[in-house]
């Protein structure tokens, strides 16, 4: 079982939770991470979805239910207009300020999570515009070991936005300073520092 969720407490009661992909194992890992940072007195949260390529639709829906208020998380529509809705009862909604880190490699399920958080206005997105994968795909295996990946539907954020080929724009644009990060042993992460700054403003 690969760890897909990392967490730590930062200064000033800020919790940092990084999700590297949305797998079925991520659901319990995310739940455990939330419980751990709550027990340590979390006053605000940074959710890092940078370089997260996505994963399971079920996983992101279950994880979104641990953060979002009551309402729509995401809905999908196939070419016949058949609609599937995924909702949240709001019983576990996050009670502290939230900042979400995104970049051009945050895709698919990451964009479902970031899009819902942005639509509900429960958190600020920091970083750069996301990848823009607004479709649901299914892998159909064949007996010879090969497979075909079929696009079966498009997905939409709670406000009805399809972000395919467009992506989600952050509330606060902050380009990653790769030279500083890779050029120093300290690995300074300017996007994370900006996220902390934004979160501090929300916590005041």
């Amino acid at each position: 079982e690969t760890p897909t969720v990392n967490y730590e407490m930062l200064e000033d009661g800020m919790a940092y939770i990084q999700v590297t992909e949305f797998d079925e194992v991520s659901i319990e890992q995310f739940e455990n991470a939330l419980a751990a940072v709550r027990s340590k007195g979390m006053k605000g949260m940074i959710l890092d979805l940078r370089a997260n390529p996505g994963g399971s639709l079920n996983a992101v829906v279950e994880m979104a239910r641990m953060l979002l208020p009551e309402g729509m998380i995401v809905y999908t529509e196939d070419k016949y207009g058949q609609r599937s809705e995924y909702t949240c009862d709001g019983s576990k909604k996050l009670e502290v300020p939230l900042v979400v880190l995104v970049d051009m490699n945050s895709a698919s399920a990451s964009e479902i999570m970031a899009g819902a958080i942005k639509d509900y206005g429960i958190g600020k997105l920091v970083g750069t515009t996301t990848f823009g994968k607004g479709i649901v795909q299914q892998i159909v295996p064949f007996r010879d070991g090969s497979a075909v990946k079929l696009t079966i539907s498009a997905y939409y954020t709670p406000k009805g936005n399809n972000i395919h080929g467009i992506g989600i724009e952050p509330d606060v644009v902050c380009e990653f300073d790769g030279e500083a990060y890779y050029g120093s042993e300290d690995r300074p992460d300017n996007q994370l520092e900006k996220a902390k700054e934004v979160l501090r403003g929300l916590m005041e």
Side-chain angles (χ1 to χ4, degrees), residues 55-82:
S56 157
L57 177 62
N58 177 64
V60 69
V61 166
E62 287 301 321
M63 291 159 74
R65 285 178 177 146
M66 300 177 206
L67 301 175
L68 294 178
E70 185 178 357
M72 183 79 69
I73 298 170
V74 63
Y75 66 90
T76 63
E77 270 185 16
D78 65 16
K79 65 180 180 180
Y80 304 110
Q82 291 283 96

Side-chain angles (χ1 to χ4, degrees), residues 41-106:
M42 167 178 68
K43 294 175 185 168
M45 185 173 120
I46 295 169
L47 177 62
D48 192 347
L49 299 180
R50 291 176 296 174
N52 181 325
S56 157
L57 177 62
N58 177 64
V60 69
V61 166
E62 287 301 321
M63 291 159 74
R65 285 178 177 146
M66 300 177 206
L67 301 175
L68 294 178
E70 185 178 357
M72 183 79 69
I73 298 170
V74 63
Y75 66 90
T76 63
E77 270 185 16
D78 65 16
K79 65 180 180 180
Y80 304 110
Q82 291 283 96
R83 182 164 161 163
S84 298
E85 297 184 348
Y86 301 85
T87 58
C88 176
D89 65 10
S91 62
K92 298 179 182 175
K93 71 177 181 180
L94 192 68
E95 302 291 352
V96 297
L98 173 65
V99 169
V100 184
L101 277 167
V102 291
D103 65 10
M104 64 180 187
N105 296 312
S106 305

Side-chain angles (χ1 to χ4, degrees), residues 175-196:
E175 296 278 348
F176 181 63
D177 188 344
E179 281 184 27
Y181 184 81
Y182 294 109
S184 165
E185 288 182 11
D186 297 338
R187 294 277 189 260
D189 184 341
N190 68 303
Q191 287 181 322
L192 179 57
E193 291 306 314
K194 175 58 78 173
K196 288 183 193 175

